[in-house]
Amino acid sequence: MTQTSQPGRESHSGRGKKTFDRIPGGFYLAGVLVILFEVVALGAVGLALAFGGPSDNEAPPDKEPRRVEVTYIATGDHPSVNLTVGEANGNHESHGIVILPYRKTVELTAGADFYLDVRSREDQEGGTLTCTVLVGGKVVQQAHSTPDYSSATCAGNTADAPQPGIPVPTLTPGASPLPEERRLTGTVKVPDYPGKGSPVIGTVTDSSLEYAELGGTWDRSKTQDLIFDGFTRKQEGRQRALVKSTQVDEDIMAAAGGTGELRGVAGAVMDERRRYEYPRDQAILVDVASQPLKVDGHDAWLLVSEIHFHKRGVPSTMDLNAVLVVDTGRVRPSVLWVALPETNKKLWPDLNTLVASVKVR
């Protein structure tokens, strides 16, 4: 008889159980938690690298560069100089005209270049000039002008070694600051300057004017070359005192507007005297009197100004200047110009003497 097999239950021995059936159930939960923690941690690191962390191409920020104190010093026997400060690579800044002595301290990056140029002004060449540069309070460079070159230049690097044996220059008080410009627009009478003044020894006739010739410390009045001097008569006194006369030239008339208005002409003459007789760009006008006058029945205008200035070798820092413009009936008016130094105020009464003596001839 044929036997057919019947499906029966699968039977396993103890040795034949599946491996996973042998792991306790609690271990599954622990493994899942460990895997989740690692995923979250790796994700956080990735986000930090993507948004906040430095990339391979980015360098860490540099430290703040070290700074050092640099002091520029300019000294000399000039009242004022042209000064330029800057870097030795050519980035220079002109400080224009400065009064000596000059000292200024700045902060520069360690290893930076420095530059200091002290140069005499165009109308004050000669004398001695010195530039000095300190780094950290110690002299690293000093230079002096030479007789044939009226400037001193210091150029170097803040890392330069100090120069032993060179003292820091003593800064003696320099020239006093110049006052502010002041020009009168109203009428102010000329003061009566006290004192005896100089004696009158004669008269001068020039350009339709007649006025007193002064004695005492004054030299005799002389004829001048109009082309070279700008005046036709001149009298010199002690310490740069001057009296000059001529007919107002066409250029000054044009500067005054060409109308012949006497007040404007007097102002134009005063401006011309400042430009040609005093240091360029550093002579300050302070008007003290401006008034109309009658000279022998002719219209005239008197302008009196203090001109403040600094000029090497000149003890006076202010001259009293007077311009008297007289309409003599000619095509252009005539002018009398007087300059009296502050260092010889005994001559100031001579201004009143001269103005009172003027007549038209």
Side-chain angles (χ1 to χ4, degrees):
M1 159 176 176
T2 305
Q3 293 182 345
T4 59
S5 61
Q6 296 180 357
R9 291 182 304 171
E10 185 177 6
S11 62
H12 300 280
S13 67
R15 293 191 184 109
K17 287 186 177 181
K18 296 181 178 178
T19 303
F20 287 116
D21 291 342
R22 303 170 68 182
I23 298 175
F27 282 97
Y28 288 107
L29 178 61
V32 170
L33 292 176
V34 169
I35 293 172
L36 286 175
F37 176 78
E38 290 179 351
V39 170
V40 171
L42 290 173
V45 171
L47 288 174
L49 292 174
F51 294 100
S55 66
D56 293 339
N57 296 327
E58 292 180 350
D62 293 334
K63 294 182 179 179
E64 186 71 21
R66 188 170 66 89
R67 311 282 287 180
V68 293
E69 278 195 352
V70 177
T71 300
Y72 299 107
I73 299 176
T75 54
D77 62 357
H78 291 226
S80 60
V81 293
N82 289 306
L83 192 77
T84 302
V85 177
E87 301 172 359
N89 60 12
N91 185 19
H92 302 160
E93 177 185 355
S94 173
H95 285 219
I97 299 170
V98 300
I99 303 298
L100 293 185
Y102 171 89
R103 179 186 178 115
K104 185 176 182 179
T105 299
V106 298
E107 280 195 350
L108 296 180
T109 304
D113 293 333
F114 60 77
Y115 179 88
L116 174 63
D117 182 74
V118 186
R119 191 172 300 270
S120 65
R121 301 182 59 202
E122 181 179 352
D123 55 352
Q124 300 189 38
E125 295 181 354
T128 59
L129 296 172
T130 300
C131 67
T132 306
V133 178
L134 314 180
V135 176
K138 297 181 179 180
V139 177
V140 297
Q141 192 165 141
Q142 187 175 87
H144 307 277
S145 62
T146 60
D148 55 347
Y149 198 65
S150 299
S151 70
T153 303
C154 293
N157 191 279
T158 56
D160 292 347
Q163 297 188 15
I166 300 181
V168 177
T170 301
L171 302 185
T172 56
S176 59
L178 297 175
E180 293 185 2
E181 185 103 349
R182 186 183 72 195
R183 307 306 297 266
L184 290 173
T185 56
T187 298
V188 177
K189 290 185 177 181
V190 63
D192 186 10
Y193 293 102
K196 184 178 179 181
S198 303
V200 176
I201 61 173
T203 59
V204 177
T205 301
D206 178 49
S207 302
S208 300
L209 296 181
E210 180 183 284
Y211 55 91
E213 182 178 11
L214 302 173
T217 60
W218 290 86
D219 296 332
R220 297 302 299 261
S221 179
K222 298 178 180 179
T223 303
Q224 296 295 112
D225 188 323
L226 178 62
I227 301 299
F228 292 99
D229 192 77
F231 290 84
T232 48
R233 296 288 298 192
K234 173 183 178 181
Q235 186 175 19
E236 293 183 283
R238 184 173 296 174
Q239 298 178 11
R240 300 172 56 255
L242 291 170
V243 177
K244 293 186 177 184
S245 58
T246 192
Q247 187 179 20
V248 178
D249 65 30
E250 294 177 352
D251 290 341
I252 294 179
M253 295 296 293
T259 63
E261 193 270 326
L262 296 179
R263 180 171 193 157
V265 174
V269 173
M270 187 71 76
D271 288 336
E272 185 199 44
R273 291 301 92 209
R274 166 169 58 175
R275 184 165 58 252
Y276 286 105
E277 301 288 341
Y278 294 89
R280 185 173 299 177
D281 301 326
Q282 198 194 18
I284 301 301
L285 273 172
V286 179
D287 291 343
V288 296
S290 185
Q291 68 175 111
L293 292 176
K294 286 289 186 179
V295 174
D296 277 356
H298 295 259
D299 291 334
W301 196 279
L302 176 62
L303 175 62
V304 181
S305 304
E306 296 175 350
I307 298 186
H308 297 258
F309 63 96
H310 296 131
K311 187 172 184 179
R312 189 177 66 86
V314 177
S316 176
T317 59
M318 190 273 280
D319 289 348
L320 188 69
N321 278 254
V323 170
L324 176 64
V325 177
V326 183
D327 183 0
T328 62
R330 300 171 67 180
V331 177
R332 299 190 304 275
S334 296
V335 59
L336 178 70
W337 173 57
V338 183
L340 303 169
E342 183 183 36
T343 49
N344 195 358
K345 285 189 175 182
K346 292 188 298 182
L347 297 181
W348 284 20
D350 292 348
L351 172 59
N352 301 114
T353 301
L354 287 164
V355 171
S357 71
V358 177
K359 294 179 172 56
V360 176
R361 289 292 181 263

